[in-house]
Amino acid sequence: MSLSLLRLPARRSLVAAVGRGLRQARPWSSGPGARSREADCRGAGAGVGVGVIAGSLGLSAFSLFSHDAQKEKGKDAEEGENQVSEEETIIFLLKKAKFNIMKGELEEADGILHEAAQLSHQANNTKAIIYTYDMMANVAFMRGELEQAEKLFKVAMSYLLAGDMKQDDNAIIEMSLKLASIYAAQNQDQLALAGYQFCILTLEEKLSKEDLPAYALSEDEPANTRLLLGMSLDSYARYLLDRNQASAAQRMYERALQISMEVQGETHPQSVVLMNDLATALDAQGFYEAADARARRALELARQTEHPELHIMLNNLAGILMHKEEYSQAKKMYTEALKQAEKIGDSASAQHIQKGLAELAKRKKSKTAGSLQNGEESGNK
């Protein structure tokens, strides 16, 4: 059985759990109004990826009570000032919680978010409630509290739908993708498949209608929708690869990569990660030459752009070279990968790379022994 490559489960995006080897952040972006997805799903299960740090509403969405709205509700100046103060407090708490999440201080972030949720309810601030529940769900997901995350995402979705938001709105689809990743991590395959298919098919249908006059989209929405489709394909590909459906995963990765390259460019960090993941899917099928070509291109771009996951690109190319029995080159790549991992303090990757080096030494020794034995047998004939 071959040593698996390190896979880079997504970041911004909703998701990311551990694949066959390692987690990584993957910055899917969505244009000017992009929602950041900056965290891996630590401990949430194997191989599903939907990076989760983002709410469906950005902090900039908290123009929660405009002056016009205040006039319509007959609020006097003093009440308006009090409301602004409440909004500012909520926004401060959410920003503080996000900062804690980025530092990996999830318990602290959860406490702050509960405070923000309580204040949002007191202010009857629906947008703040939705955003806070979404962030709380993300934190629960990253902590491996999948049932709690599921409940919170559903509550946030119920608020969105109660506000007359359509089911094909990107915010609803993004949360549906998060739910699909939760079901995948729980091995609830029927629900996970239904979730992935809903997201992909709904987004494809939405994009097919974008040129229709009666279905006009906002200026940024087509690009954002395509990127969300790419993220859905990416997450579904991870799901498939973890269930040994490498051929189907390959097709999903190819489509996701095409979208990322067309919208964000070949050198975008997400495009580089997807090339690496596509190489992983090809390697899993024994298509080592094709995997080698993709992995080398990903590594080349990672070097050019100083990609933060360069050590993982090196490791994966090393694994492919080992499978091709190019042991000298494989050792060179593993050694560089280990040096890079240790340099940035990524101990989890370093351990995996060391296992790769050990496997490489074992295979090389076995091949040498086999060659000597064959030579002896030939000489005895």
Side-chain angles (χ1 to χ4, degrees), residues 125-351:
N125 189 326
T126 302
K127 288 184 179 180
I129 291 170
I130 294 168
Y131 188 88
T132 304
Y133 279 171
D134 190 30
M135 287 188 70
M136 289 171 68
N138 291 333
V139 170
F141 188 23
M142 288 185 285
R143 296 176 72 182
E145 300 169 355
L146 301 186
E147 292 184 5
Q148 179 69 1
E150 177 189 357
K151 292 176 183 177
L152 289 165
F153 280 133
K154 287 181 176 179
V155 170
M157 288 178 69
S158 69
Y159 273 98
L160 290 172
L161 293 170
D164 296 327
M165 181 175 283
K166 296 180 180 178
Q167 287 196 3
D168 68 350
D169 188 278
N170 285 358
I172 295 295
I173 296 173
E174 185 170 330
M175 287 193 186
S176 298
L177 184 55
K178 294 178 184 182
L179 285 170
S181 72
I182 289 173
Y183 296 137
Q186 294 173 324
N187 293 316
Q188 297 189 56
D189 291 332
Q190 189 172 358
L191 290 174
L193 284 169
Y196 288 129
Q197 290 171 3
F198 164 77
C199 294
I200 293 170
L201 293 175
T202 301
L203 288 165
E204 288 176 337
E205 183 178 3
K206 187 174 181 179
L207 287 168
S208 71
K209 295 179 180 178
E210 66 182 10
D211 295 327
L212 299 178
Y215 201 82
L217 301 177
S218 65
E219 183 179 349
D220 296 327
E221 192 169 359
N224 292 347
T225 301
R226 289 191 71 199
L227 287 169
L228 185 53
L229 174 59
M231 187 168 64
S232 300
L233 293 164
D234 177 11
S235 183
Y236 186 35
R238 292 171 183 283
Y239 170 85
L240 291 168
L241 197 54
D242 282 327
R243 281 148 182 81
N244 299 315
Q245 299 181 49
S247 178
Q250 176 191 337
R251 294 193 295 273
M252 298 302 110
Y253 276 135
E254 287 172 342
R255 293 183 60 194
L257 176 58
Q258 181 180 1
I259 290 171
S260 183
M261 290 178 62
E262 290 175 354
V263 179
Q264 303 179 130
E266 186 184 35
T267 59
H268 190 278
Q270 187 64 32
S271 298
V272 177
V273 167
L274 285 167
M275 284 182 202
N276 179 85
D277 287 346
L278 177 55
T280 301
L282 291 165
D283 178 78
Q285 298 173 77
F287 301 146
Y288 300 137
E289 293 299 332
D292 184 304
R294 288 291 188 178
R296 286 183 185 277
R297 181 56 178 163
L299 177 58
E300 179 184 1
L301 292 170
R303 291 189 191 279
Q304 290 176 7
T305 59
E306 298 183 353
H307 199 289
E309 310 300 339
L310 173 63
H311 58 297
I312 295 181
M313 311 291 177
L314 287 162
N315 173 86
N316 289 358
L317 178 56
I320 293 167
L321 290 168
M322 178 171 64
H323 297 159
K324 293 175 66 180
E325 298 187 350
E326 297 180 12
Y327 297 137
S328 177
Q329 285 297 310
K331 184 177 181 179
K332 181 180 178 181
M333 291 296 169
Y334 273 134
T335 302
E336 185 181 354
L338 182 59
K339 183 178 179 180
Q340 289 288 335
E342 291 175 342
K343 181 179 179 180
I344 65 173
D346 187 346
S347 58
S349 291
Q351 289 177 9

